């Protein structure tokens, strides 16, 4: 976006000047141009992006926990390597997303403090426990699958740094999703015990995955504005429908069933009808009353607090090095 | 081929310990770095096991007394300083060893040449943290000194002869000592002066005599695999 570049200072953004900036911003969004960090943008647009991107970054970081829970118990060395690589990728995604969020004028430390204080959220899905090895596969197939369905449209989001981060992240996520599917397939086609383990995991993760698309369209607080700003490209219900339609044939290929007696093909709409999500459960998890909310945030806080002396040491060492090179410069 | 098995067990066990850090590291960059090192080591273990037999049978179906790793790598993570003292000692051993093996015409040579590149990075990273912690704050200095001293007694075993290993342990040990002395000095740390071998507690991992935490580590690692005999994953 170039039309409004340069008009970034708050002083310039007052009075009739602001109207001109807003008009140029709206025109750029309408023309599918990317908004870049130095461009003028409405305060509410900035705030919405910070909220959404920080939440996205936090989800990558908290999302490491349920999967890392199985690293030390992975049943083969190949699976262990795949899982370690995946958890490592998630930390990397968190780093991209914090960097992208920082372009909006905030800092990673500030964002982490808000996460630790419970003032910024992360995806509700990570408040569910991983009880068996098959859960690792169900997370890959369903949770990453839902994340990709949500995130692919974000690759065209109006804010440039977010869109570019999503392009990189979606490539890796697709890979994880296929690996999760393949893990479940190996279980499904394995011993009767392994098959049962896979089915149980899908039974537990199916509905929480559908909740990842957010509340129904009628009850989604941020949707209308986000759609107008081209941050959001499709409604929650549209994406949820798309996800269900993708998953049904995949479940058949896996030889597993989805735990929804109301799930059936609807010829007329060209999609599947499906049962009603338990929104009271969704609300409870969002409010902090899910199965693992307390554990997840406690572990995150503890890692941060236990690591404080390490970060202090790195800062002190860097300061000494900088002072040392100053002395050398003076001496020379 | 007992040498490959010993080196594979070293890499597997240390990789496992580093994997325990996932989600617990002091900064996100270290989540990436620790997982990266763990993955490199796991890759090394898998290649080495493939020279001996089936990797999963070797990793999951042997009991504690059959593992040939040095006791150093099985030591619990402790704090971040403890983890990096262990990493420094081990990477500074692995690098000259792999370089020496890469120059032989043994079965291990191609694998050692590839692994040496990875270990160069591991050692660089461990040295960096040794400097930061040793020459950081008073607290980090004390923690790093404590860690270096606590793990010292496990370092002599690294240079015990291993059957079939085409490397001169005395030369490796000399190089290791020079390296460690240099980095600890730069980090304002004192080279520990306790024994590096001897006594029941330290230095018999290569004979299958391990320390107590190792059994629990294996129980966790092997539990699922052993619960489903004959299954594929």
């Amino acid at each position: 976006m170039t039309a409004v570049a340069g008009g970034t200072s708050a002083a310039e953004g007052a009075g009739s000047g602001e109207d001109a900036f807003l008009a140029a911003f709206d025109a750029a969004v309408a023309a599918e141009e990317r908004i870049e960090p130095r461009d003028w943008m409405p305060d509410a647009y900035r705030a919405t992006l910070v909220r959404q991107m920080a939440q996205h970054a936090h989800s990558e970081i908290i999302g490491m926990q349920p999967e890392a829970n199985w690293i030390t118990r992975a049943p083969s060395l190949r699976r262990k390597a795949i899982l370690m690589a995946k958890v490592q990728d998630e930390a990397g995604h968190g780093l991209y997303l914090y960097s992208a969020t920082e372009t909006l004028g905030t800092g990673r430390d500030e964002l982490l403090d808000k996460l630790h204080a419970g003032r910024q959220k992360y995806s509700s899905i990570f408040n569910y426990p991983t009880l068996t090895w098959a859960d690792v596969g169900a997370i890959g197939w369903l949770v990453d699958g839902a994340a990709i369905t949500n995130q692919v449209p974000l690759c065209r989001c109006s804010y440039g740094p977010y869109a570019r981060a999503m392009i990189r992240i979606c490539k890796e996520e697709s890979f994880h999703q296929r690996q999760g599917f393949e893990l479940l397939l190996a279980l499904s086609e394995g011993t009767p015990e392994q098959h049962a383990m896979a089915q149980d995991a899908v039974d537990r993760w199916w509905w929480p995955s559908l909740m990842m698309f957010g509340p129904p369209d009628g009850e989604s607080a941020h949707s209308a504005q986000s759609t107008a700003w081209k941050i959001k490209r499709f409604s929650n219900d549209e994406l949820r429908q798309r996800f269900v339609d993708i998953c049904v044939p995949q479940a058949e290929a896996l030889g597993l069933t989805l735990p929804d007696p109301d799930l059936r093909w609807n010829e007329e709409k060209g999609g599947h009808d499906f049962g009603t999500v338990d929104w009271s459960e969704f609300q409870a998890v969002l409010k902090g009353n899910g199965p693992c909310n307390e554990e997840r945030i406690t572990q995150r806080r503890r890692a941060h607090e236990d690591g404080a002396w390490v970060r202090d040491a790195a800062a002190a060492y860097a300061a000494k090095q900088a002072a040392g090179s100053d002395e050398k410069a003076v001496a020379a | 081929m007992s040498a490959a098995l010993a080196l594979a067990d070293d890499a597997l066990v240390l990789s496992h310990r580093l994997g325990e850090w996932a989600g617990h590291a002091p900064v996100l960059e270290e989540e990436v770095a620790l997982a990266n090192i763990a993955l490199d080591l796991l890759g090394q273990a898998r290649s080495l096991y493939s020279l001996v037999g089936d990797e999963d049978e070797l990793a999951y179906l042997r009991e504690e007394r059959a593992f040939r790793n040095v006791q150093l790598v099985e030591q619990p993570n402790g704090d971040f300083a403890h983890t990096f003292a262990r990493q420094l000692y081990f990477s500074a051993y692995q690098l000259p060893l792999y370089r020496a093996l890469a120059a032989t015409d043994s079965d291990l040579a191609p694998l050692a040449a590839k692994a040496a590149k990875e270990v160069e990075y591991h050692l660089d990273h461990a040295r960096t943290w040794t400097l930061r912690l040793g020459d950081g704050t008073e607290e980090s200095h004390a923690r790093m000194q404590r860690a270096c001293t606590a793990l010292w007694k496990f370092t002599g075993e690294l240079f015990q002869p291993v059957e079939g290993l085409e490397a001169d342990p005395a030369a490796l040990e000399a190089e290791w000592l020079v390296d460690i002395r240099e980095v600890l000095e730069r980090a304002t740390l004192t080279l520990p002066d306790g024994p590096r071998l001897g006594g029941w507690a330290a230095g018999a991992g290569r004979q299958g005599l391990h320390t107590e935490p190792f059994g629990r580590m294996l129980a966790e690692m092997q539990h699922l695999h052993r619960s489903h005999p004959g299954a594929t994953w």
Side-chain angles (χ1 to χ4, degrees), chain A residues 72 74-75 79-80 108 311, chain B residues 16 26 29 60 220 225 233:
Chain A
T72 54
R79 293 292 178 197
K80 186 170 180 154
R108 197 210 298 182
R311 296 189 299 276
Chain B
H16 185 95
E29 285 80 356
Y60 291 99
E220 182 172 347
H225 186 95
W233 301 94

Side-chain angles (χ1 to χ4, degrees), chain B residues 30-221:
Chain B
E30 279 310 300
E31 294 285 0
V32 178
L34 289 163
N36 206 319
I37 298 171
L39 268 171
D40 285 347
L41 290 167
L42 185 53
Q44 292 169 17
R46 296 180 69 193
S47 307
L48 287 159
Y49 283 139
S50 74
L51 300 176
V52 183
D54 178 80
E55 62 176 26
D56 287 337
E57 250 177 69
L58 289 163
Y60 291 99
L61 298 176
R62 279 182 302 151
E63 294 186 357
E64 192 183 358
R65 294 281 280 108
F67 273 81
R68 291 289 175 262
N69 56 282
V70 291
Q71 292 179 350
L72 175 67
V73 294
E74 75 202 30
Q75 296 312 305
N77 289 333
D79 65 8
F80 194 73
H82 200 79
T83 288
F84 271 97
R86 187 183 65 197
Q87 197 63 43
L88 177 74
Y89 288 161
F90 186 72
S91 297
Y93 153 74
Q94 239 191 353
L95 184 60
L97 172 64
Y98 278 152
R99 281 183 177 157
L101 291 175
T104 65
D105 55 5
S106 79
D107 289 0
L108 298 179
L111 186 155
K114 178 177 179 287
K117 291 183 191 133
E118 297 167 350
V119 178
E120 217 172 307
Y121 160 78
H122 305 170
L123 180 58
D124 181 61
H125 196 64
R127 284 168 153 276
T128 303
W129 274 113
T130 303
L131 293 173
R132 284 177 182 154
L133 298 180
D135 194 14
T137 63
E138 210 172 301
E139 181 182 8
S140 70
H141 176 89
R143 285 180 185 253
M144 196 65 200
Q145 184 64 61
R146 197 152 57 227
C148 287
T149 304
L151 290 166
W152 189 245
K153 68 175 177 183
F154 297 107
T155 58
E157 188 187 5
L158 298 168
F159 308 102
Q160 294 297 291
V162 175
E163 196 193 326
L165 195 61
E166 293 181 44
D168 172 14
L172 291 178
E173 183 164 24
E175 191 174 337
W176 183 89
L177 265 173
V178 169
D179 220 21
I180 294 298
R181 181 173 285 127
E182 187 263 348
V183 66
L184 293 194
E185 197 170 299
R186 274 181 58 206
T188 73
L189 296 162
T190 310
L191 194 77
D193 61 358
R196 296 177 47 235
L197 254 190
W200 170 256
R206 292 274 188 247
Q207 283 78 53
L209 291 172
H210 294 278
T211 54
E212 285 183 347
F214 185 54
R216 273 190 301 280
M217 194 206 98
L218 276 194
E220 182 172 347
M221 184 175 95

